């Protein structure tokens, strides 16, 4: 059972206990009123005694419920804080105290701002009250302290829950991975550039030598050139993905014309499509709203999608690139009529290095890197958008990404 479900179950238990106690108190009060109406002091005294006993039983029920809640909260791995409607802490487990460097019990009664000294956490908690859920990441002890993800969710009984997860080790491993990829890519780039230049020189010299160079040797030189180009592409995409995942900055430009951007990106692959025997078409809606984004990065997304569409299309097939407005978004679609993406692969196709069965695509020297769609997903998400695929095997695929309109109202 996930932590949110555990908290909901605890809340339900407490609500039931309170309801039972209230019902018991009401029955006792009725009996007291009946006794008072009879005018008999003995009955009144008995009624008061029963009321006292009933109150004691209710207090015991509440104490038992609180004890059960405390025990479960102590057993839950993440830190958990329960807030009232004024964002004041009414419950906190030991893990939450430890993650915030506070002595046990010292968080109770404090506001979120007093506990975290961070306006982003207060805003996150308020957003949970307003819209249901929100999250943020903080380092309460500074850059050298633990990294905490704060997830807030509105409570059905009012107030909110905050769940604190220590992701310091995850961030450390991500930093190590990024540094490793950066170092490896930089170390590979120099020798690969040299090999690529040598292969290009060999190819030119073989062409100049004419018939003195055997055909088999020409083929091998050409293959070296192609494979070297493939390795250079992989190194560049690894660096690109590493920068994007590491939170690299993007140049957001107001008033970006997505229709023109998509048309220009598709034109870069028109020669490739012609060589593959694919008809590449571009359709742009009239009066398309502008977006705010990085034209270079978004152009790269369109290029990746169009390249894949052409690669998976049969000879004589059609690849259509469309841009249109959907509500508060501008949507770019790349449609092909190729082999399609298996349903089992559609949830994973945007993962790095994931590839659909090679036997399903047309032969291509060097193949792909498995990074293009991962890069596309990261770029689109950095723009506050989303990307997805709709596909049917044997019919074709449509990849779409949506970007918020520049002047669309925020929700």
């Amino acid at each position: 059972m996930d932590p949110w479900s555990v908290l909901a179950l605890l809340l339900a238990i407490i609500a039931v206990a309170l309801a039972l106690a209230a019902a018991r108190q009401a029955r006792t009060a009725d009996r007291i009123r009946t006794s008072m109406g009879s005018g008999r002091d003995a009955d009144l005294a008995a009624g008061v005694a029963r009321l006292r006993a009933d109150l004691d039983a209710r207090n015991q029920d509440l104490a038992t419920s609180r004890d059960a809640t405390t025990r479960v909260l102590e057993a839950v791995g993440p830190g958990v804080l329960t807030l009232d409607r004024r964002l004041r802490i009414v419950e906190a487990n030991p893990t939450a105290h430890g993650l915030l460097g506070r002595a046990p019990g010292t968080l109770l009664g404090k506001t979120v701002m007093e506990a975290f000294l961070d306006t982003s956490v207060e805003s996150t908690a308020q957003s949970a009250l307003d819209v249901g859920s929100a999250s943020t990441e903080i380092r309460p002890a500074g850059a050298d302290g633990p990294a905490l993800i704060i997830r807030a969710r509105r409570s059905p009984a009012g107030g909110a829950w905050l769940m604190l997860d220590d992701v310091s080790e995850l961030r450390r491993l991500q930093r190590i991975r990024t540094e490793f990829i950066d170092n490896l890519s930089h170390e590979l780039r120099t020798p690969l550039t040299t090999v690529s230049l040598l292969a290009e020189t060999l190819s030119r010299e073989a062409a100049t030598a004419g018939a003195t160079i055997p055909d088999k040797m020409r083929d091998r030189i050409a293959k070296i050139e192609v494979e070297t180009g493939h390795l250079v592409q992989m190194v560049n995409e690894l660096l690109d993905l590493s920068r994007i995942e590491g939170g690299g900055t993007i140049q957001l430009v107001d008033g970006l014309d997505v229709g023109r951007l998509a048309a220009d990106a598709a034109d870069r692959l028109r020669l490739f499509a012609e060589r593959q025997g694919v008809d590449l078409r571009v359709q742009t809606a009239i009066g398309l709203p502008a977006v705010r984004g990085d034209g270079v990065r978004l152009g790269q997304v369109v290029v990746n999608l169009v390249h894949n569409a052409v690669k998976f299309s049969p000879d004589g097939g059609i690849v259509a690139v469309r841009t249109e407005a959907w509500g508060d978004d501008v949507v770019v679609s790349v449609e092909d009529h190729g082999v399609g993406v298996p349903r089992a692969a559609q949830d994973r196709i945007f993962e790095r290095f994931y590839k659909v069965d090679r036997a399903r695509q047309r032969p291509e020297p060097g193949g792909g890197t498995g990074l293009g769609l991962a890069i596309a997903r990261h770029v689109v998400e950095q723009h506050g958008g989303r990307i997805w695929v709709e596909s049917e095997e044997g019919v074709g695929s449509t990849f779409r990404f949506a970007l918020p309109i520049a002047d669309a109202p925020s929700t």
Side-chain angles (χ1 to χ4, degrees):
M1 182 179 292
D2 65 270
W4 291 120
S5 299
V6 172
L7 289 175
L9 179 60
L10 289 174
L11 192 62
I13 293 173
I14 293 173
V16 170
L18 289 173
L20 292 174
R24 190 182 300 117
Q25 183 180 10
R27 289 195 300 271
T28 303
D30 289 340
R31 289 195 297 270
I32 290 174
R33 283 193 294 270
T34 301
S35 298
M36 291 178 66
S38 66
R40 290 179 295 180
D41 292 342
D43 289 342
L44 178 59
V48 171
R50 285 193 298 271
L51 176 59
R52 181 176 297 172
D54 208 54
L55 289 174
D56 290 341
R58 185 186 67 167
N59 290 334
Q60 182 61 40
D61 290 341
L62 291 176
T64 302
S65 297
R66 290 195 187 98
D67 183 62
T69 302
T70 301
R71 290 179 182 275
V72 174
L73 289 178
E74 289 175 353
V76 171
V80 179
L81 301 175
T82 303
L83 311 179
D84 62 17
R85 290 183 175 85
R86 296 178 298 168
L87 301 184
R88 193 172 295 276
I89 298 171
V90 296
E91 195 76 47
N93 69 348
T95 304
H97 284 88
L99 290 175
L100 296 177
R102 302 297 185 93
T106 57
L107 288 174
L108 300 181
K110 295 184 179 298
T111 64
V112 170
M113 190 62 192
E114 291 170 339
F116 289 89
L117 302 177
D118 193 314
T119 56
S120 67
V121 181
E122 185 179 48
S123 299
T124 299
Q126 186 62 52
S127 296
L129 289 180
D130 296 338
V131 301
S133 64
S135 64
T136 188
E137 184 171 333
I138 64 168
R139 287 185 176 270
D144 297 329
L148 302 180
I149 286 183
I150 313 295
R151 297 183 178 90
R153 181 172 292 185
R154 184 169 54 207
S155 167
W161 294 315
L162 295 186
M163 187 170 291
L164 289 62
D165 280 311
D166 187 346
V167 293
S168 305
E169 182 64 13
L170 175 62
R171 296 294 178 256
R172 186 183 72 85
L173 293 175
Q174 288 175 336
R175 186 175 66 255
I176 291 174
R177 184 193 66 185
T178 300
E179 292 173 354
F180 171 76
I181 292 176
D182 281 346
N183 293 334
L184 178 64
S185 300
H186 284 298
E187 290 296 327
L188 287 174
R189 177 171 283 181
T190 299
L192 281 175
T193 301
T194 302
V195 172
S196 181
L197 289 173
L198 288 173
E200 186 179 345
T201 302
L202 280 173
S203 181
R204 286 201 304 266
E205 291 178 351
T208 302
T212 59
I213 302 295
D215 291 340
K216 183 178 290 186
M217 186 174 294
R218 291 177 189 275
D219 292 341
R220 289 173 179 173
I221 292 173
K223 187 166 183 60
I224 290 173
E225 193 172 11
V226 169
E227 294 295 342
T228 303
H230 173 64
L231 289 174
V232 171
Q233 178 192 359
M234 178 176 288
V235 168
N236 289 336
E237 289 188 346
L238 274 172
L239 277 172
D240 213 12
L241 183 60
S242 178
R243 294 191 191 102
I244 293 171
E245 289 184 331
T249 58
I250 56 176
Q251 303 297 321
L252 294 178
V253 178
D254 288 320
L256 191 65
D257 186 345
V258 178
R260 171 50 54 191
L261 179 147
D264 291 345
D267 283 341
R268 290 165 56 186
L269 291 171
R270 195 165 295 281
L271 181 59
F272 170 66
E274 291 174 356
R275 289 176 177 173
Q276 299 282 42
V278 173
D279 183 9
L280 181 57
R281 302 176 182 178
V282 179
Q283 302 173 7
T284 301
I286 298 175
L288 197 66
V291 304
R292 187 168 184 262
D294 187 324
V296 175
R297 291 291 190 189
L298 292 175
Q300 182 183 15
V301 172
V302 178
V303 166
N304 286 341
L305 296 181
V306 173
H307 184 274
N308 283 345
V310 172
K311 184 171 64 175
F312 284 91
S313 293
D315 291 332
I318 297 173
V319 170
V321 181
R322 299 184 181 90
T323 52
E324 51 195 330
W326 288 13
D328 292 335
D329 295 325
V330 172
V331 176
V332 180
S333 305
V334 179
E335 180 185 4
D336 67 66
H337 301 282
V339 294
V341 180
R343 183 174 297 277
Q346 292 179 19
D347 291 336
R348 299 191 57 197
I349 200 166
F350 294 101
E351 297 176 9
R352 68 178 69 84
F353 297 115
Y354 183 80
K355 295 183 181 181
V356 181
D357 185 4
R358 286 180 178 271
R360 303 176 60 82
Q361 68 185 70
R362 68 161 71 226
E364 181 188 16
T369 63
L371 293 172
L373 290 178
I375 291 173
R377 176 173 64 87
H378 282 286
V379 170
V380 170
E381 289 178 353
Q382 279 188 328
H383 284 77
R386 59 191 181 95
I387 186 169
W388 70 99
V389 62
E390 300 167 2
S391 184
E392 183 178 347
E393 288 190 77
V395 177
S397 304
T398 300
F399 284 82
R400 290 191 172 94
F401 66 92
L403 303 171
I405 296 172
D407 57 354
S410 58
T411 55

